[in-house]
Amino acid sequence: MKNSSIVSGTLRSLLSSWAISLGFLFAIVAMSPFISKVIVPLIVLVFSYLMTGLMNARRNQPRQRCLRMAWVVRTTLMISAFLMFLLLLLHVPSLFHGRFDAPGFNPRIPYISSIVIFTTGTVISLYAMFAGQGLGACKACRRVFGAYSDNSLASALFNEESSRQLRLFFWVSLAIASTQWGYFFLFFINVNFNSPDLFFFCYMPLAVYALSIGFLASRYYSINEAYRASRSNVARVHRGSQVRYLVTNGDNILLREVADSQWDTPYIAEVATPDVSEVKARERFDAMGGPADATLRFLYDNTDSAGEHFAHFAVFVPDESKDAACRSGRWLSLYEVDNYLNSGRLAPMLANELVRIYTITMAWKTYDREGRRLYPIKHYKPIFRLRDFKEWDVDYNDTSWLQVSVENEDKPFFRARRIWRKCHDIFHR
């Protein structure tokens, strides 16, 4: 894969994510003035369900996709549907006995869909901007793809441009919502929709949507052309695989200091093929001077946003071979490694490996595959001892345990989430 194709593919992915995700929002804005307000919330819920399916489909693709805007739009849809249902209830006479019989209240037009959506979108996008990489979609992306590093141009584009898209959506939502609220209080008569009403509540937002697509398409075209014109900014692309070995002995991990005062494993190999067998990994480990009596175990593989493949192995070194395995590194206790992790002194890929191992292990030891507790004690957490790593019978390549770690019996609304997931699986098999 050439660098130019990686850049153009990343930019196309970002543009399509914006166009499709916001297309759901603006489709509701376009149809809302012409259909019953009782039906609109149901359509909004259906669209949010479709967004969930789209996010899962993209997440399951071998290549990484940025789902930040999709998460913002889906959340906006779900909250907007709830607000629309609430506004509908306020106009039911049998519930409130005409308490809301003021001239501004009209059961035929209990709310303006565009105002609800863009006001909600402003709040959600503001929250997402402050959350940054702590957003749920970003955490899920890191859990699955291990995208902790920005050492490729594709990763840099995803991080930078998705943040720009989020800011653009915030300002677009804020501008549209402010304009519509101003028109609503100053000029709108809640009897029917006339031509000016349709302009402000329907046509104007659609025009802004079209302009935003044109703006982003022009921007991404310029970025792609600028990259092609400057071959000095070339991302690192590897056609084969990088094999990483996490070398352990009891509760100790073998690390060495690398660039920028960060620590990483001293055993990293490159192979020419995308698939790495345990036999091939053993051969490369031995070629680097690894102890012959060490035991290897495959952990998981992943592909970063630039398309480079990584194979991760654990190595268990017996006590008598500790010194032979050092290879200019030194053995660090689990306590020291944890301090380095919390202070940002571990290499990004190593940090991701340790977080993934710990997360999957604790989920496997605490819950079953359905997220139900294995022990009757709520919020009970088993002990994590690295010296037991060799004996843990858990598949670290199984991402379902990552889902269990965030969706289990100790989390709020566990049963409701399970029902939602089962319903989703019925229609997305």
Side-chain angles (χ1 to χ4, degrees):
M1 183 184 295
K2 296 182 179 180
N3 290 320
S4 57
S5 64
I6 292 176
V7 173
S8 60
T10 301
L11 295 174
R12 282 197 302 270
S13 172
L14 288 164
L15 182 60
S16 65
S17 177
W18 174 273
I20 295 173
S21 299
L22 267 70
F24 283 98
L25 288 182
F26 286 92
I28 297 169
V29 172
M31 68 177 68
S32 178
F34 310 104
I35 59 177
S36 171
K37 293 297 185 290
V38 178
I39 302 176
V40 173
L42 300 177
I43 298 175
V44 175
L45 284 179
V46 170
F47 280 7
S48 68
Y49 183 79
L50 294 176
M51 281 296 303
T52 302
L54 178 64
M55 291 174 66
N56 289 337
R58 291 198 162 198
R59 189 177 288 121
N60 292 330
Q61 290 178 350
R63 289 295 305 277
Q64 182 181 358
R65 298 290 187 271
C66 183
L67 301 177
R68 189 183 294 187
M69 280 306 306
W71 183 92
V72 169
V73 170
R74 184 190 63 176
T75 306
T76 300
L77 288 171
M78 295 178 68
I79 296 178
S80 296
F82 171 77
L83 293 175
M84 290 175 184
F85 277 124
L86 183 61
L87 291 170
L88 282 173
L89 290 176
L90 292 178
H91 289 75
V92 177
S94 60
L95 293 178
F96 296 96
H97 306 288
R99 192 172 299 174
F100 297 100
D101 242 352
F105 285 85
N106 182 357
R108 292 182 62 250
I109 310 177
Y111 58 84
I112 308 296
S113 302
S114 184
I115 292 181
V116 175
I117 287 174
F118 290 110
T119 303
T120 305
T122 302
V123 176
I124 298 301
S125 57
L126 184 63
Y127 164 78
M129 289 166 59
F130 280 103
Q133 295 298 318
L135 202 65
C138 298
K139 290 181 179 178
C141 183
R142 290 197 298 269
R143 287 196 304 268
V144 175
F145 291 99
Y148 274 78
S149 61
D150 291 331
N151 60 348
S152 72
L153 185 55
S155 293
L157 284 173
F158 269 134
N159 292 333
E160 178 64 25
E161 292 304 318
S162 65
S163 298
R164 287 182 180 273
Q165 284 189 357
L166 190 57
R167 292 195 295 271
L168 177 61
F169 179 68
F170 168 75
W171 288 113
V172 166
S173 298
L174 180 63
I176 293 177
S178 301
T179 302
Q180 291 181 346
W181 276 114
Y183 179 82
F184 178 83
F185 285 115
L186 295 176
F187 303 106
F188 181 66
I189 300 175
N190 197 4
V191 176
N192 54 25
F193 282 106
N194 54 33
S195 296
D197 299 338
L198 290 175
F199 173 79
F200 279 96
F201 296 133
C202 181
Y203 304 141
M204 181 194 68
L206 293 176
V208 173
Y209 171 61
L211 288 173
S212 70
I213 293 179
F215 167 74
L216 290 177
S218 175
R219 173 178 174 80
Y220 294 157
Y221 176 80
S222 300
I223 292 175
N224 194 41
E225 290 301 309
Y227 172 78
R228 289 183 177 182
S230 176
R231 293 294 180 177
S232 59
N233 298 323
V234 180
R236 178 180 178 270
V237 177
H238 185 61
R239 292 180 179 271
S241 298
Q242 183 182 103
V243 188
R244 296 178 52 85
Y245 303 87
L246 184 66
V247 184
T248 68
N249 169 261
D251 283 323
N252 300 314
I253 300 178
L254 181 64
L255 300 178
R256 72 175 174 187
E257 194 170 8
V258 292
D260 299 326
S261 300
Q262 290 188 327
W263 292 76
D264 200 359
T265 175
Y267 288 90
I268 300 176
E270 305 282 351
V271 297
T273 58
D275 298 322
V276 183
S277 65
E278 193 163 321
V279 174
K280 184 67 175 179
R282 179 86 227 190
E283 291 176 356
R284 297 309 304 267
F285 181 73
D286 293 340
M288 290 185 289
D293 55 352
T295 303
L296 262 69
R297 174 187 176 180
F298 171 73
L299 295 177
Y300 66 97
D301 56 3
N302 69 291
T303 303
D304 69 4
S305 56
E308 184 169 7
H309 183 260
F310 296 87
H312 306 262
F313 288 82
V315 180
F316 307 101
V317 177
D319 291 337
E320 54 269 20
S321 301
K322 285 182 63 176
D323 294 337
C326 277
R327 201 181 185 222
S328 72
R330 70 184 183 92
W331 293 98
L332 299 176
S333 67
L334 192 59
Y335 175 76
E336 292 176 297
V337 174
D338 184 58
N339 286 337
Y340 284 179
L341 175 65
N342 294 329
S343 60
R345 296 186 61 189
L346 296 183
M349 191 63 69
L350 175 63
N352 183 75
E353 288 172 346
L354 296 175
V355 169
R356 181 167 182 146
I357 290 170
Y358 177 81
T359 302
I360 289 181
T361 300
M362 297 303 289
W364 169 73
K365 295 180 73 173
T366 309
Y367 312 99
D368 63 14
R369 297 187 68 86
E370 297 295 323
R372 293 185 291 264
R373 285 191 298 269
L374 299 177
Y375 308 94
I377 306 173
K378 191 174 183 180
H379 299 298
Y380 167 77
K381 285 190 177 181
I383 298 176
F384 181 90
R385 287 193 294 258
L386 190 62
R387 59 178 175 270
D388 299 328
F389 187 14
K390 187 177 180 181
E391 310 300 328
W392 289 331
D393 185 21
V394 56
D395 183 4
Y396 291 96
N397 209 31
D398 185 358
T399 56
S400 63
W401 288 111
L402 296 172
Q403 185 65 31
V404 171
S405 69
V406 296
E407 190 174 296
N408 54 65
E409 201 170 359
D410 290 323
K411 302 294 184 181
F413 310 111
F414 167 65
R415 288 176 177 80
R417 291 185 181 185
R418 282 187 61 198
I419 293 173
W420 173 267
R421 182 165 295 279
K422 287 181 179 180
C423 293
H424 176 271
D425 292 341
I426 291 175
F427 295 100
H428 290 84
R429 286 177 179 175

